[in-house]
Amino acid sequence: HSTTSGTPENPLQSSGLSITQVQHNYNYMMGYIFTPNVNGTITHIGGYFNGTKTTRLWQYSNGNFLASVSVPDPNYSWTYADITDVSVTAGTKYVVATAMNGTGGARVRLTDALPNTYGNITINYSCYKSNYDSDTYPTSWSHETRTKWNWGLSDITFVPDS
């Protein structure tokens, strides 16, 4: 990743929140809507779950598909898989979400309601879509403005421009 030079950030992992529950059998695409506060690059996507899962990245406003990767079984630990670098723009909303496909889910209860800023990323809301697993952006989310819980525990690796 020769185009990136800042310190890598994993916003949800670095939030300091404790995982409240694991072994949920969610049949959803689950993640969060986020906004970079500075320009930068997303170099990896992944999360905290069990079993090999597909994690995806989209631009929120237009549903533009940006990346997808199969994340090898993290066995309930934070694991990220390499993607082709995706440049992201400060002030623009994006979505990272993982297809849970009925197994291996986890969740955290947010002690401070979203939106919250972790490093250079603001996590705006948690979102999920029932019975969904596609690179095509959902026409609607089952919920996309949740502020007290995060399910599925998708995450990004963001490297700010220096």
Side-chain angles (χ1 to χ4, degrees):
H1 299 277
S2 58
T3 60
T4 58
S5 57
T7 301
E9 303 174 13
N10 302 107
L12 191 58
Q13 179 184 357
S14 69
S15 69
L17 297 168
S18 297
I19 308 302
T20 15
Q21 291 186 326
V22 296
Q23 298 180 353
H24 279 280
N25 298 326
Y26 301 124
N27 197 17
Y28 296 91
M29 174 83 74
M30 310 180 96
Y32 63 78
I33 300 163
F34 67 95
T35 306
N37 298 311
V38 297
N39 292 338
T41 304
I42 296 175
T43 60
H44 299 77
I45 53 180
Y48 186 101
F49 38 80
N50 191 46
T52 299
K53 309 283 184 207
T54 300
T55 301
R56 295 176 174 90
L57 180 69
W58 295 278
Q59 186 172 333
Y60 178 76
S61 63
N62 60 14
N64 186 29
F65 175 73
L66 302 172
S68 175
V69 69
S70 178
V71 180
D73 182 1
N75 193 26
Y76 292 118
S77 63
W78 291 103
T79 302
Y80 302 83
D82 189 36
I83 59 171
T84 301
D85 288 359
V86 175
S87 293
V88 292
T89 305
T92 300
K93 288 182 182 175
Y94 300 89
V95 178
V96 61
T98 302
M100 301 312 298
N101 294 323
T103 63
R107 73 178 185 185
V108 296
R109 179 168 176 79
L110 301 161
T111 50
D112 295 318
L114 295 175
N116 286 321
T117 300
Y118 307 105
N120 288 295
I121 298 290
T122 297
I123 298 179
N124 304 95
Y125 297 106
S126 297
C127 58
Y128 56 88
K129 173 72 174 174
S130 178
N131 300 306
Y132 201 77
D133 183 0
S134 173
D135 290 347
T136 303
Y137 192 75
T139 53
S140 66
W141 291 90
S142 302
H143 289 282
E144 62 180 305
T145 57
R146 300 305 294 253
T147 61
K148 292 298 285 180
W149 293 91
N150 188 282
W151 298 269
L153 306 188
S154 303
D155 206 8
I156 61 172
T157 300
F158 172 75
V159 181
D161 291 349
S162 53

